[in-house]
Amino acid sequence: MAKKLAVRVDDRLIHGQVVTQWVNVFKAQHIVVIDNNVAKDKMQKSVLKFAAPPDIKVSIFSVDKAVEAWEKNQFGTKNVFVLFRDVKQIAELQGKGVSFEEITIGQMAIINDRKQIYKQVGLSESEAQTLMDIEKTGVKLYFQMQPTDKKESLEIMKKTFPDLH
């Protein structure tokens, strides 16, 4: 049986109930967090590892280390749940040759210059454009807060940001 790879953006990263729901849906055996800031912060790393279900391996990589790990063995042979805190690091990873078939977008706090796009998802115009650019490369992107929610296409961003292209 081939391994499954699930990719999600959620600024809460490994957050109790949220991660448990998604880990169960994806039957994940390994969580990979890709975040340049978290990778440098010992405290955040230990909190994330502690928050994960006990039988799940957690790896935390900077974008550069994620590229190395991907090139070595695509994060191993187990079912992998890849988590990003923001969309810019997906684009950075893609620029270094690592791309995913499908990415779900979960909670992103509605703060600073971010506007509400969908439920608890806030994006700035530049983040929204980054998602559009990623989608143009053939990646399937959609908004989905909970596994039971209907998947919403990126088109809903155009209501808030009509100049997206």
Side-chain angles (χ1 to χ4, degrees):
M1 186 170 105
K3 78 168 184 184
K4 290 185 199 163
L5 183 72
V7 185
R8 182 169 173 80
V9 181
D10 194 314
D11 64 9
R12 297 165 296 179
L13 290 176
I14 300 177
H15 183 267
Q17 191 177 10
V18 177
V19 82
T20 303
Q21 285 180 355
W22 288 101
V23 161
N24 289 340
V25 166
F26 294 134
K27 298 184 177 18
Q29 300 155 299
H30 183 188
I31 295 172
V32 173
V33 174
I34 302 174
D35 188 280
N36 290 328
N37 295 324
V38 174
K40 292 184 282 196
D41 186 325
K42 283 187 174 142
M43 181 62 137
Q44 279 191 68
K45 283 165 78 169
S46 50
V47 166
L48 288 177
K49 287 182 178 184
F50 181 77
D55 54 335
I56 306 273
K57 178 184 178 190
V58 177
S59 301
I60 300 167
F61 298 125
S62 65
V63 169
D64 288 337
K65 288 289 183 201
V67 171
E68 284 176 30
W70 182 259
E71 288 173 350
K72 183 178 166 195
N73 64 8
Q74 296 191 346
F75 306 140
T77 57
K78 297 182 182 319
N79 290 344
V80 182
F81 183 34
V82 180
L83 279 165
F84 289 88
R85 182 175 273 159
D86 66 67
V87 300
K88 299 288 185 195
Q89 294 187 70
I90 297 171
E92 185 183 342
L93 194 68
Q94 196 175 39
K96 295 180 181 207
V98 179
S99 192
F100 303 108
E101 285 181 30
E102 187 173 281
I103 300 171
T104 61
I105 301 149
Q107 179 172 309
M108 299 200 42
I110 305 164
I111 55 169
N112 304 325
D113 62 341
R114 286 182 173 170
K115 295 184 172 30
Q116 183 177 8
I117 302 295
Y118 167 78
K119 296 189 179 186
Q120 295 90 26
V121 178
L123 295 170
S124 67
E125 190 160 7
S126 88
E127 288 170 323
Q129 187 60 59
T130 296
L131 288 174
M132 295 299 284
D133 294 344
I134 292 168
E135 189 178 55
K136 284 179 203 154
T137 68
V139 178
K140 291 183 212 118
L141 288 154
Y142 50 86
F143 298 100
Q144 189 178 28
M145 295 304 295
Q146 305 292 331
T148 52
D149 290 347
K150 178 177 160 270
K151 296 174 181 178
E152 287 288 342
S153 86
L154 293 190
E155 287 301 306
I156 63 171
M157 296 189 307
K158 292 184 178 173
K159 291 177 192 159
T160 308
F161 302 117
D163 296 333
L164 292 177
H165 52 274

